[in-house]
Amino acid sequence: MNEAMALHRQGRLRDAEKIYARVLKAAPDHFDVLNLLGAVKAQLGHIGEAHRLFSAAVKVNPRAPQALVNLGQALHALKRDAEALDCFDKALALAPGDAAILNGHANALLSLGRAEEALGEFRALLAKAPQHAEARLNAGIALATLGRPDEAVAEFDSAAALAPGHPAVHFNRGLTLFELGRYADAVAAYDRALAAAPDHAGAVLNRGRALAALNRYDEALASYDRAIALRKDDADAHFMKSMALLTRGDYRRGFTDYEWRWRRTGMPAPKSRGRPLWLGEYPLHRKTILLHAEQGLGDTIQFARYVPRLAAGGAKVVLEVQPELVAILTRLDGAAAVVARGDALPAYDVHCPLGSLPLALKSERDTVPADIPYLAADEPHLAKWSARLSGLPRPRVAIAWSGNPSHINDRNRSLPFAKLAPLLAAAANVQFVSIQRELRGDDAAALAGEPRVLHVGAELDSFADTAAVIAHCDLVITVDTAVAHLAGALGRPLWVLLPFAPDWRWTLSEASPWYPAARLFRQTALGDWDGAIARVGAALKGFASTPS
């Protein structure tokens, strides 16, 4: 035992492991060796074996607080936090003031989604032991979980002062700085994490995300490749790499990696369709293919352009889409049937998610189908909105300024209505028509006080309504949301306000291959909506002064 413990202290874990195992063979119920061998197994990352050994140690001596703590930590690592909490409760009953037990108990609460309780316990521990670096770190994580990022960063800063070489401190600080939009600071935090732990795959991956948010795509791709080298089946790394490749216009490699989206963190398992997945392996002549929506409304509109091509190749195409899009997509050439998601489907031979069509049909940047318009407003809806809009003066400009708030990049792509004030003032003779369906924050009050804007967003029951309003307008100005895709697919004059790091489909160049006639007004610096809006306003003056 003495020899094994000396090796253990020296960090020679494999050598210590062998001797502990020999001792355990001779004395299977030896409490200390069960505990110490379990600790070695945990340090080597063999958490299942560590759990077995710690469980045996607790069985031998159920009143040893350290054994209960070790077992609780192993259960925590195995994501069995309800059981871990029970272990820490028992340990606390034996050693009420122990800092390690208090920290572990609060950690288990945090993992169980009880962040407010966890924060209270971390605060209580820090009141007794303000130099406890792990509690500082974990208090920061709790604050970040509770949506209090500025306070979280302050805790991470304190933890870094106590433990400057702790990679988890810098990693979590980087995650929180990213959420605050402080991307350059996030890169620096990840660099500090990697200086302490060069193979920290999470830091490598998230460093790539922060670099991509700064439009530093070459460096981002290098980070993603490094993350994949560390964990070849990391779906998040492959997916983020696909986003960078597609943004740069490398569609061949980008759409291949895009297929990893189904396995990335937080994605539910794909629905079983009962028929083979088709990704372009063979012709579809005389076969029925189900194309199903998988992402947002804008994505569905964007990828629906492939339907006529499949139909021209002899396929019978069934579209399953969001209910709001059924009416407008029913008019799409080549669609034999358009079904609302959740309704009964006709029989089909194969299926394909809409977002996989560019891969299946081998789209390159220069071969994206751009037969625009491929959608059109229908006569009943045109007549309905003609009665409402025909009396308005021209030019009429439809506007939308925010998208789905649950979108991963919504904080960068959406803006408050008040930000558009310089645009509204830019051309006195323009009639603005708001087609913004959901209002946030102070939007309703600001909109009500703006006489230059007719707000019809609340009256748009479906995208067939939105399409008709757009058809009665001379121009659409919008942020990157479904309205941009709809206006683009309708072939209407379209100006898009884009954040500094755009969504991949808008690329980094002057035009997007998906909507080549659209004018793109990009932020030239991170968060600089004022500059982009000023350029739109200047262009609008010229547009409004040009005879129709």
Side-chain angles (χ1 to χ4, degrees):
M1 277 292 291
N2 288 338
E3 183 183 355
M5 289 166 69
L7 292 167
H8 195 167
R9 283 192 294 270
Q10 294 167 28
R12 294 170 59 183
L13 300 180
R14 294 291 186 190
D15 294 330
E17 179 185 25
K18 290 175 185 175
I19 298 175
Y20 282 141
R22 281 165 49 197
V23 175
L24 189 63
K25 192 170 183 180
D29 293 330
H30 194 301
F31 174 79
D32 288 332
V33 78
L34 286 166
N35 220 10
L36 290 166
L37 182 55
V40 169
K41 295 288 189 183
Q43 286 174 275
L44 290 169
H46 304 151
I47 304 300
E49 294 177 57
H51 169 258
R52 178 180 60 79
L53 290 159
F54 292 142
S55 296
V58 168
K59 202 171 199 177
V60 171
N61 185 358
R63 295 191 59 77
Q66 189 54 51
L68 286 162
V69 170
N70 289 340
L71 178 56
Q73 289 171 340
L75 288 163
H76 174 67
L78 292 168
K79 303 188 185 306
R80 293 163 58 180
D81 285 289
E83 295 169 77
L85 192 65
D86 182 59
C87 283
F88 291 124
D89 280 334
K90 290 175 180 174
L92 279 173
L94 296 166
D98 186 283
I101 303 174
L102 290 167
N103 187 59
H105 188 273
N107 248 342
L109 286 172
L110 185 56
S111 294
L112 288 166
R114 295 160 64 178
E116 198 72 62
E117 292 174 73
L119 180 61
E121 293 195 6
F122 289 129
R123 292 286 197 224
L125 172 55
L126 288 166
K128 298 176 184 176
Q131 303 301 305
H132 197 298
E134 287 290 334
R136 288 273 172 216
L137 164 61
N138 293 328
I141 295 172
L143 286 162
T145 302
L146 290 166
R148 294 157 63 179
D150 292 305
E151 295 173 76
V153 171
E155 286 289 6
F156 295 138
D157 288 343
S158 298
L162 294 168
H166 197 319
V169 171
H170 301 296
F171 173 65
N172 283 284
R173 186 171 180 273
L175 293 177
T176 308
L177 289 167
F178 184 94
E179 291 306 310
L180 286 167
R182 294 169 55 185
Y183 304 122
D185 291 336
V187 172
Y190 295 132
D191 284 341
R192 291 189 69 183
L194 291 166
D199 290 343
H200 192 306
V204 174
L205 172 60
N206 284 282
R207 181 178 183 273
R209 288 182 67 215
L211 288 164
L214 293 166
N215 272 353
R216 292 161 59 182
Y217 285 99
D218 289 343
E219 296 167 84
L221 283 166
S223 277
Y224 298 144
D225 284 337
R226 171 70 177 144
I228 291 166
L230 291 168
R231 297 190 303 212
K232 67 176 182 177
D233 291 331
D234 187 330
D236 293 327
H238 282 282
F239 177 73
M240 295 310 301
K241 180 181 178 181
S242 79
M243 295 289 95
L245 290 168
L246 292 171
T247 303
R248 295 196 339 164
D250 186 344
Y251 283 9
R252 182 180 59 81
R253 291 195 298 156
F255 279 118
T256 299
D257 267 349
Y258 192 53
E259 289 303 297
W260 285 85
R261 67 193 183 278
W262 302 107
R263 294 166 57 185
R264 69 189 193 273
T265 302
M267 282 291 286
K271 176 183 174 182
S272 174
R273 296 281 171 175
R275 293 290 184 273
L277 171 67
W278 179 82
L279 291 176
E281 302 90 338
Y282 44 83
L284 292 177
H285 186 61
R286 294 185 179 177
K287 291 188 180 295
T288 299
I289 182 169
L290 170 69
L291 303 179
H292 43 94
E294 47 162 311
Q295 299 176 52
L297 298 165
D299 300 89
T300 301
I301 294 168
Q302 177 187 354
F303 295 124
R305 71 185 62 220
Y306 286 95
V307 169
R309 178 170 292 192
L310 287 170
K316 181 180 179 181
V317 180
V318 175
L319 262 176
E320 182 190 48
V321 300
Q322 299 91 332
E324 306 98 307
L325 293 175
V326 170
I328 187 70
L329 289 176
T330 298
R331 297 172 56 76
L332 179 65
D333 286 345
V338 180
V339 181
R341 182 186 285 159
D343 288 354
L345 290 165
Y348 56 92
D349 302 301
V350 296
H351 75 95
C352 182
L354 279 168
S356 294
L357 288 173
L359 175 68
L361 295 173
K362 299 178 173 55
S363 284
E364 298 283 355
R365 182 189 168 100
D366 297 332
T367 61
V368 167
D371 301 323
I372 292 172
Y374 57 90
L375 294 181
D378 62 62
E379 289 302 325
H381 284 90
L382 285 170
K384 168 186 171 182
W385 285 99
S386 176
R388 180 77 185 278
L389 302 175
S390 59
L392 295 178
R394 289 187 181 272
R396 301 174 197 141
V397 176
I399 55 172
W401 54 89
S402 63
N404 183 346
S406 65
H407 189 278
I408 191 170
N409 197 39
D410 184 67
R411 68 173 177 271
N412 288 322
R413 69 171 189 159
S414 295
L415 48 90
F417 173 71
K419 272 281 184 189
L420 296 180
L423 173 62
L424 302 181
N429 62 326
V430 168
Q431 171 65 59
F432 292 96
V433 180
S434 163
I435 53 174
Q436 181 66 45
R437 295 179 71 182
E438 294 182 9
L439 303 180
R440 311 185 199 174
D442 297 329
D443 283 356
L447 195 55
E450 181 48 76
R452 290 166 292 188
V453 181
L454 172 66
H455 177 56
V456 301
E459 303 168 51
L460 303 174
D461 296 328
S462 73
F463 273 68
D465 278 311
T466 310
V469 174
I470 288 173
H472 284 297
C473 292
D474 303 295
L475 172 66
V476 176
I477 300 175
T478 179
V479 296
D480 174 17
T481 184
V483 165
H485 293 278
L486 180 60
L490 291 166
R492 301 299 297 158
L494 170 64
W495 297 357
V496 188
L497 281 157
L498 294 174
F500 182 67
D503 189 78
W504 66 267
R505 66 210 79 212
W506 303 110
T507 74
L508 297 171
S509 57
E510 290 299 311
S512 163
W514 301 89
Y515 307 105
R519 289 187 65 179
L520 308 180
F521 293 83
R522 303 176 185 275
Q523 289 181 353
T524 55
L526 197 61
D528 181 23
W529 280 126
D530 292 339
I533 290 168
R535 280 181 277 116
V536 175
L540 187 59
K541 283 183 183 178
F543 180 87
S545 63
T546 302
S548 57

